[in-house]
Structure formats: structure tokens, C-alpha cells
């Protein structure tokens, strides 16, 4: 007899956890929010830096970059502090490269001009999906920073061309599920992150954690992700409208 | 004409900012709190580790250690992430050594037994006094961890012998002040951290930031600190009683 | 007028570069090959290590891990030596995590037993697709190492359950293409790595380098990848049969 | 029956060890001395650097900074070489920050002008009180460097406004003592470093090593420190007069 | 009875292994070769860098520098990757300093002008003598880079004044031998590297690995090295003539 | 007209600087000395460590290793502290490998037994020849440590089989000279370090700093070194006899 897996927040398989975005989490800084995917809480904060990396000097082009971190006690098991180990893990570097790449792809960097916007995503509490929450929240911090630049007439127009949202889907105990929490993620046979921009794809990372998987599974996860996208964009618009 | 310095929260010179301690900030882990000294917010979390450092092996004695960090965007100006720089600053190392030393001094390490309690203090928002808030909050996390050990009969008695609280006082524009915020701290001529245990001293660090200072100034600051101590101990007791 | 992009080796859009796999590249060691995807040349070498990482101690389970490197002069522009910079780049860590994860997914780690097989992938010459060539070649090194273990009766059966091959596809100048070389890769609007296992998927990483992309593009690239997979598996089988 | 602790050099509790300062220890360099507090020997050497740290560029203001090190065999037990460990310990960073801060507080940095004076304090032999000897000796190296600048008319006046001396006092076996040697320091219940400037305080660091301590103890140690200050200033003046 | 040691490639004691130099190993870059001393294979590649190190700014003088690396699986036992350890070993630093110094000594750096030529020596397969092969091959890469500079009229004349070749000789089982392979090298009582320039000496490093050795032994090894020098210069000239 | 180079201490070309060896420089530790070659002063100190490196476990064999450092202000120009740079330079690593190798070659490591003797060589003042003085002084520290082991009956016999002394010779302004000081060393055309053991050679490192040099020059330098050896051995014996 098959005992169905009980999802947190009493969710159906294609449902996300409660999503909450609190914009302007910091009174200072250039744009920030606290984003929650259920019990996963991430502070995202943008800093405008008038200095660009060397490779952009004299190109009149801007850059978006991201940094990602997790408090040592944010997770179920304490994770050693990267600052005291003296280096960031491969996982951290991979995630912050993903966040930066995703946000850059929805921005017109020529409009941003020769400056850099740095997005810090710091996980206060981790319950699965920290990288996807970081992208969804990083987008808000980025929008607020661009709004500030626009208000000060430092840029001629809004450089944001698309929303950027993300969700992790997966196959757990043989069932496709949307927005995995920590327990589901630890048991997932397939783990797929979808970063989406309105009706387009920014990035797909789908991985059979233990075994290869078939194309049908992938297609179901993709459908779930497209549903989640709509909700996330709605939440982002509400948050931005409230500022 | 002397224009008096306007203190945040409309405080008198010998008054602290509003103090708030929210115990059990994390549902998991071995003891935690969120401590607020006005706009300075620190998450303190304890982790019990059954492994001790090498120098304690076979001594039947425990150890308390602390780690300190600050979110890059916690401060008025973004601070470079220590994890990405690949090392902790001298300031960070100094603060975490202070926190560990202070908490160890109020604990009977023989009762703790051959295990280690690690206290993580992570500054979410910084407005002056992050190290003193970390000690006051770290004490709560430590108490909750000891309570847990006691409840599981892993230790024979409560090893905590004294409260441990801390406050920073200083001379700003020639006036002695209690519990400096960021603005006051940046302008302080004398900066003194008092770590106190009920009616005793755990540690005093008093420093003339720009010039040497005289003994009278030191004595006034010490009096302010003793007042603050009483309030802080009260807040700690309230927080622990509420759990 | 549209001037069609001239592909290296006079290829059609859905064609791979000439693939060559030279097994047993080293006379010593536990299994190796030189793999060529056109002008991209990678030496893959397996080392059997009877010590496992800590987390596998007493689990009777094995582990596959990979390391990736590139000679400083392998590329069109000299790349600074990671050993002299004192750390591996995020890109390197990301690639070696991908190789390890991909190879683990086609192996029964219980059969491998409590030992580790380390796969070194060193790029001698780089012309695009170094990570995909590393997976295809790493698979050969892994098979040869397992063959050696089997021959010495150190494992009870062949632990390899599937082939593991990889190819990078992308959209360049608006056209879908298979197995991108350096020039194509630098100009790709969409870049997608497909790691495949016979008729299943090991991992998909698809990314709009500059802009989001639509689902149709993704589907075409996926079809190209499935074609390439068949050829690569054939080449792997030939190489292994020749030993 | 109470057996009184026998102090090195047959000292009374409020007495310092024999103090010796040999100025111009190096024939080259910008100012140096060998300072001895009993068997604690430190070489202090100043280097004038016409480059200032970034944050002082175009401020017409100078800077004093210090570095501290200990020969691996200087201590009773060999200490691992920080250069071969690849990083300075928290203790080292704390001490060199203290030395730099203390010396800066007695100097008019505007008179120093846009240049940096670096004070190296290297412990040749350690028998307790290395940080306090470093401050007392560092002051001499600093004075000699300023004298050189003045002689070459690179600065308009002597920028030194006060002496800077330091002594460590403590409670050992229940008795207050001045200028602790290694054995006393290892057994101290309270350890207090006093950095003094003529009749003022530069910095106080008082710490209950194992337990909190009471205010009376602190006051006694402070009195001892003020006595020691007078002797140290005398020794500094003699040394400078002899050059 | 004395059983004579059987040398690889059936060599007499004063004979080198088969030497092969394949110039222009890379189609791109500024000059490269693959050099083989028997089973020791090294790729040497030159990169012309128009930026010089700080100490050469405005001196109108050039610089030659070298970097050395070994693939982890190049050797009989896998060697941990220096990039993942985060630092180069003392041996690596010593070798690359030797290569750079040796090549600089045969070049007129004034003719090179204010630019730097970097020589990468990467060992693909190691069977003893990797540093000596690197020098002999590095010379070829350097010559090709200078030829390129000359062809583009960036330098007024050929700056190369002498050949630079190297060979390792040693005493193995009491017998003097030329061009030691790995097995011989591991058993050598004396190991001597001779770096030679036509009829002169560039550098000699002779070392009694386990015991001091006498002058006669040294003289024999020196004679062997002079013989080897002639062959190596011949091979270099052939390789350069073939381009 | 040829103006002869005036050597420090009014020396002839084949003469060494005044040599002084003060044994038992530290009252604690396992053996130490202060060695002076003119103005070059090095503290050498031995530490006996009952733990051996991993590769010697269960071999009943000992090991001698060395570490080398220089005070930042020891030299004419301040040298950045390696501990604060976070790594030892290639030069430092090369020197400490040389010292360790040289001392090991005169010791019977089987007699030393499964323990390690670490020799710290710290340059207090540098005026050329620091590595050669380190070897000559390191030998004394090593002898004293062995004497201590013998006295405590921890080893069955004296394991030292030969003296170990070192001197640097060179060609300066066309003239062969013995024991170069800093000024001579900076201007040397040929620089040769000779490490000698009674009437044998431990190691020779001869290098044409700017140009290749001929065999005759090498022979003269070798003769000078053999003379110096006799004096150094005499000084070592005197120092050891005085303890």
C-alpha cells in the first residue's frame, strides 16, 4: 500500500509554499527585501557601485553581480562558517554565479551604464529552495536600486525588461512536486531549478540526483514550474506596488 | 552656545536604547534568540558539539567558543563579505574572542563536561554596539543550550553561575553617554566596553580613540555601565522566563 | 541577405566535430584516455583510492569524484594558473562538481564498495566543450578503473549501469547548433549542456546567455543532443572494445 | 599556612622587572630599539613609508601602524610559525591593532603629514608582557623616526604629544602584582593591561581569566600601573637622551 | 658479484634517453613545443605580455619568467592538484625560479624591451628529469616567441645570445649516470642538475641525497653533462630549423 | 685604471668575515645558538618533536626539518612580513628546504629514531650569506639537541657523522671572493653556495646571475670554499667545546 507523502503547509503536489515578499527591509542601502518561501527566509539587498570590474572599463556598459551566503545556524545542521574556513564552497560559488547570470539576462546593461549593481542574498533560515528564493528576491532588490537610479536621473530609462523568478521542482518518492522544502529536497530523485522570465526561459538546471531520469518526468516538472512562475510574478508586482 | 547632541530614541545620556530579546528565534538548533539594542539586531544561536578541541581531550572539561559575523549590507556602508575575501578581519577575530572569553567566565566548565558549545552571533542590522548585544544575546542562547542538556540529563546541574551582559559607553562631544549608536560611536573620543556579571566585572576595554583621556571620565562611564547592567539582566530574566 | 555561419570541420548544424577516444593514454595509473572533440583535447585519468571521505566511513558505499583543470596555454588567451592564484575559480569548481555528479549517477556505489575513484580531467587544448568532453572521456577512465577492480576481484560485479555522455548545443546567430566550438560558444545566445545516459537524462543545463529564450529553441537543442548521444555512445563502445 | 609566591628578580608585588632600552639597535632603518622587561626581549623598528593607505589619500594626514611577531622558539614551548601556517592568529592581530592604536593616540597625525610610519615589534624572547614591552619600545622607535623626519625638515615640528608606556598587572594567587612574567601570567585570575600617557589613560584592558572579579581588585591594579608608568617614562627619556 | 643496473632504453651510463622536440605544438599562442626526454613529456609554451612587473616599469628592460606544473596523474603515484590545495609546493616554486633564471641568463633583456615573456612548462608525463626537460623545451618556446617579435619588428634584433640546455646526472648504486629516469632518480645517492650554455655554465646544483659525496664523483658527472649538452643543442637546432 | 673593490672588515678576497658562534643562546628549548658572519646574525634553535611526519610512521627512522625566516627590518630595505602576506616566498621555501636537506645528510636518521628535530633559523640582521650562516649555526643547534637526547638515554649513540658548514663565494667585478656581504652579493656576476662536510661535498649551487660563466671561475670559487670550510669547522668545534 502506498502511503502518500504529507507535504508541508498541507500542499498539493503542484502547489508552492506561502510566498511573502517584504520590500525595503533595510531603511538604508540601495534596495532590499526579505523574501519567504515558507520557512526559507532570505534577505536580498542591492548596492550600487560606481566602480565597474576592469573588463568593463570604458565600455559604457553596466554589470550585475551577486553574492550568496548562509548563516551557520540557518540550516537544520550547523554549517561551518565560510569566512572562518577561509573560502567559499563550490556550492556557494555556483549559486551566486547563477543568481548574477539570471538577473543580468533580464536587464539592459547599456542603460545601466558604467556602474555595477551588487546583489547580496543572505539566507537567515533555510528550508529548501534558497537559491530560487534568492533570485525572486534579488529581482526586487534590483528593481528598487534601478528605481533609485532613475529617480536621481542617473539612468535615462528603466533597464529592467522582464521579471525574473525561480522555483525548484522535483521527483520525490516517484511523484512530481513543486517548490521542494528541505525534507523533500533531501529525498528527491530528480531536482530541477527553473528560472523564468514572463513567458520565456532564463535557465533550466535539471539533475537526476541518484539515477538518470526520463523525458516525461522532465516535462511534468516544467509544467509545474510554469504555473509557479505566474504566482511569483504576481507576488513581485504586489511587493513593488506597495513601496 | 552649546547645542546638545540629540540622541536616538530621545534618550538621556545615561539611558540605553530599547532592549528586546526574542528567545527561541529558531525552531531547530540548540538554543537561540534575536537580540535588539535599538536598531542593532543580532541573531545568537548555540550549537552543542560533542567533539572538543584537541587540548581538552580526556580532561572531562567543556569549552564555550563564539563566532561573529555581519551581513555585508547590515551596515550603513556595504562591508565586503569575509567569506569572499577569504579571511576574517582582525576586528572580527577580536570580537569573537571577546564573546567566547566572556561567556566562559560565567560557566562552570567541569559541569559542562567534555563537550563544546559554539555560539554564533550574526549581525542582521548594525547600528553600534554589535559586540555588546552579541554577549547579552549569546548568554541567552547559552542558557537555552544548557537547559536542553540538563533536560536530557546530559549534565548533572546548571553550569551557569552568573549573568553576562555588556554595554558600550563613551565620551561624545565631551559628554559621557551610555549605549552608543553608530553615529555616536563614530564620533566618540573615548569608547569603553563593559562586560559585567551581576555585581562583578568580566572585562573592561576602555580606549581613547584619538587622545588619551583622564581617570574621571573613566569613572563616569563605569557608573553608567553599572546602571545599564541592571536593566539588561532584567531583560534576560524576562526572556528566559517566557520560554 | 543572411550569410550562413561557416562551421569548423565543414559541419552541418546538427553535426558533431570529429570525435576520437584513445584509451589507456597512460601506461601506469588505474585507467585513462585522451578524448578529442575536434580541437578540444582532454586527458582523463582515474585513480582508485582505498580511503573514502569521512561521510562515507563505515557505510560500505563508494564514491566517485572529479577534478578539472586547464593548462594555462590551452586556450586562445593564456589563462592564469589556478595553482599560482591559490584558488580554483567558481567555473572550475562548478565543472568538476558536474563531472563527479554525472558519473556517480550511472554507477552502483554499493558495488564499488568503501573506496573512492577520482577522475582527473585535464584540458590540454581548449576549443569549446571542455566539460562535455571531460564527461565522455571521464566515463572511459572510470570504466577502465572498474575493469581493473573487477579483474583483481576487489568488486563482485561491474558497477556501471549506463553510459554517460555529454554534448553542448546552442543557438548561435539565431540558428540551433550541435557541439559548439570556441567561436560558436562565445557568440551563443543560448548555451545548453546535455548529459545523457542511453535513453535517459542525467542532467540538463540550459541558459540564455544574454536574454531569456523560448521553449521551442530548447526543444530543438534537445533533439540535436539526443542524436549526438548515439554517436558518442558508439565511440565509447569502440574505445572500450579496443583495449 | 600561606606560602608567599616567590617573584622573579626577587621583586615585591608592586615592582617591575629590570627595564632596559637600547636605542638604535639597528644601524640602518628609520629608528629602532631593543627593549627588555626582564627576560622578555623585543626588537622594535620603525619604517617611514611615503605611501599612505588608500583611505588617507589627499587628506594631508599621516598614519601609524604596527606589526607584531614572535620567533617560533622565543617562548617556553615552540609556537608554530605564522608564515608557514599562512595566517596570523587572532591574538597577533589583536596585539598589533592595540600597539598601532596606542601609538597613534599620542601623535598629531596632521604634523606627520601624508605618510605612514610602520612599527615592527618582534619578540626575540618571551617571558610575559610582550605586548606591553612592544608599546614601550615601539614608542622609542617612533620617536627616533620622527626625529629623523624633523632633521630632514620633512615635518614642521615634533608630532609626539605624550609618552606612551604600558604594563600588565594582575591578580595571582589572590595577590595583586605588577608586570607579570610568564609563570605569573599563566596563573593569573585577573589580567589587566594598562597603556598610559603621562597622567592620562590611553587604553585599559582588564579581564577575569576564569571568573568575574570585583571592583576593588581593579582599583589596586590601576594604582600599581600608575607607579610603573613613572618608571617607564623615566627609562624612555634616558634612552632617548643617550642617542 | 655485482649485477649491473639495467638502464631504460638499454642505455650506457653516459647516454641520454631518446630526445625529441616537436616545435609549434600549439597552433595559437606565441611559441610552444612538446619536449620528450624518453617517457618524460613536457609542453612548453611562451606568452608575450606587454605589461612588465612593477620593478621594471620605465626601465626599457624586459623580463623572462616561468611557471611549472604537473598533471596530477602524470606521475607514477597521483600527486594532489596544487590548484585544489590552494598553493604551489616549495618544489614547484624552486623549479619555476630555476627555469626563469636559466632562460634570463642567455637573453639580452635590453633588446627584449619593456615586455615580459612568460614560459609555461606543464608536465604531461613524468619519468624523471622534468625540470631539465622544461629548460631545454622552454628555450625553444622562448626562441619562437622572440622570432615572432622580430618578424613583427617589435624588437630590433634577436636577443638570444646562447643556447640553454639542461640534464640531470647522478650516482646510482655507486655508478655515475647521465639523464636519470624516475627509478634511477629515486635511488640516486648524488643528484646533480647541470644547466649549460654552449661552452659555459648557467647553473650547477649538485646534492648528496643521503650522504656527502667526494669531489671525484662530481667531476665525472660534470663530464657526462658536457657530453649531453652537445646532443641537446643539436636537437634544439634541428627543431628550430624545422619550423 | 682598475680601482680595487674595498671589502668589508678589510678582507682579502679569499677571507671570510669575523665568525662568531654563541651556543645556548636560549636558556630553554632543546639547543640553540646565535651565529654571526660579520653583520649577518642568525638565531638557530632546535626543537625535538616526538611526533614524526606521516610518511615516517612505523619506520623507526627520524627526520630533520628546518624553517627559515627574516625579521621585516633585518634587511637594508624593510621586507614585507610573510605572516601578514599569508604565505612564504619561493626564496624562503627554497632556503629552508636546503637547510633541512643539508643537515639530514650528516645525520644517521636510524639512530635518531622515530622523532623529528626541527631547526628554526631566524635572521635578526641580514648582510648577505643568511642561508650559509643558517646551516653553520643550525648544525650547532642540532648537535646540542642530540647531546640532550643522548644524555637522557633516548638515543643509543651520537647520530652526527660529519660537520656541516656553508659559505657563499662569488665573482664580483671580475674577481673571485669568499663569503660575500650584501653589497658584494648584489653585484655578483656568479654566486655559488658551497655546503661542505669535512672533506666531502654536501651540496653545490652555482649560478651565473646575469650571464653564463666558465669552468675556471667555478674552480677558483671551489678552492676558496674549501679554505673557508676549515675555519668554520674550527669555530663550530670551539663553540661546542665551550658548552
Amino acid at each position: 500500500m502506498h502511503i502518500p507523502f504529507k507535504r508541508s503547509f498541507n500542499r498539493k503536489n503542484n502547489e508552492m509554499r506561502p510566498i511573502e515578499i517584504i520590500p525595503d527591509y533595510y531603511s538604508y542601502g540601495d534596495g532590499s527585501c526579505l523574501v519567504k518561501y515558507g520557512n526559507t527566509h532570505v534577505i536580498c539587498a542591492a548596492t550600487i557601485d560606481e566602480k565597474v570590474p576592469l573588463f568593463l572599463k570604458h565600455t559604457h556598459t553596466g554589470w550585475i553581480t551577486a553574492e550568496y551566503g548562509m548563516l551557520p545556524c540557518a540550516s537544520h545542521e550547523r554549517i561551518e562558517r565560510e569566512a572562518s574556513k577561509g573560502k567559499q564552497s563550490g556550492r556557494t560559488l555556483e549559486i551566486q554565479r547563477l543568481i548574477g547570470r539570471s538577473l543580468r539576462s533580464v536587464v539592459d546593461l547599456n542603460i545601466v551604464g558604467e556602474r555595477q549593481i551588487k546583489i547580496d542574498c543572505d539566507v537567515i533560515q533555510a528550508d529548501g529552495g534558497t537559491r530560487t528564493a534568492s533570485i525572486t528576491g534579488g529581482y526586487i532588490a534590483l528593481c528598487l536600486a534601478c528605481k533609485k537610479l532613475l529617480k536621481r536621473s542617473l539612468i535615462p530609462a528603466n533597464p529592467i525588461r522582464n521579471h525574473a523568478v525561480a522555483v525548484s521542482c522535483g521527483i520525490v518518492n516517484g511523484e512530481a512536486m513543486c517548490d521542494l522544502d528541505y525534507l523533500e529536497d533531501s529525498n528527491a530523485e530528480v531536482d530541477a531549478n527553473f528560472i523564468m522570465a514572463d513567458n520565456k526561459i532564463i535557465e533550466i538546471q535539471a539533475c537526476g540526483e541518484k539515477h538518470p531520469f526520463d523525458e516525461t518526468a522532465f516535462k511534468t516538472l516544467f509544467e509545474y514550474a510554469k504555473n509557479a512562475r505566474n504566482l511569483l510574478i504576481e507576488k513581485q508586482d504586489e511587493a513593488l506596488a506597495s513601496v
Side-chain angles (χ1 to χ4, degrees), chain A residues 1-2 9 24 43 93 95 102 132 179 190 201 203:
Chain A
M1 201 195 77
H2 178 74
F9 299 99
D24 277 343
I43 300 178
L93 293 172
I95 292 177
S102 298
T132 51
D179 188 24
V190 181
I201 303 163
E203 186 149 345

Side-chain angles (χ1 to χ4, degrees), chain A residues 80-91:
Chain A
E80 210 191 325
R81 195 177 288 270
E82 293 189 323
S84 82
K85 280 197 299 184
K87 67 175 188 172
Q88 296 178 298
S89 70
R91 180 186 170 274

Side-chain angles (χ1 to χ4, degrees), chain A residues 116-211:
Chain A
Q116 188 175 216
I117 303 175
K118 187 167 272 179
I119 308 295
D120 282 291
C121 299
D122 283 277
V123 180
I124 299 305
Q125 194 170 277
D127 188 34
T130 62
R131 81 186 69 187
T132 51
S134 295
I135 291 168
T136 302
Y139 171 82
I140 298 295
L142 177 61
C143 284
L144 293 172
C146 288
K147 199 174 147 186
K148 188 173 169 182
L149 285 171
L150 201 53
K151 206 171 159 187
R152 296 184 180 176
S153 304
L154 290 165
I155 53 174
N158 186 355
I160 314 274
R161 290 177 313 204
N162 281 106
H163 289 84
V165 299
V167 68
S168 103
C169 299
I171 309 285
V172 186
N173 289 347
E175 289 182 44
M177 288 181 184
C178 180
D179 188 24
L180 308 187
D181 64 20
Y182 177 76
L183 191 64
E184 291 163 348
D185 191 56
S186 317
N187 291 293
E189 293 125 37
V190 181
D191 180 18
N193 292 303
F194 294 90
I195 299 99
M196 324 280 283
D198 302 297
N199 59 345
K200 297 207 167 190
I201 303 163
I202 293 175
E203 186 149 345
I204 296 175
Q205 296 187 329
C207 168
E209 290 291 325
K210 288 161 205 154
H211 313 287

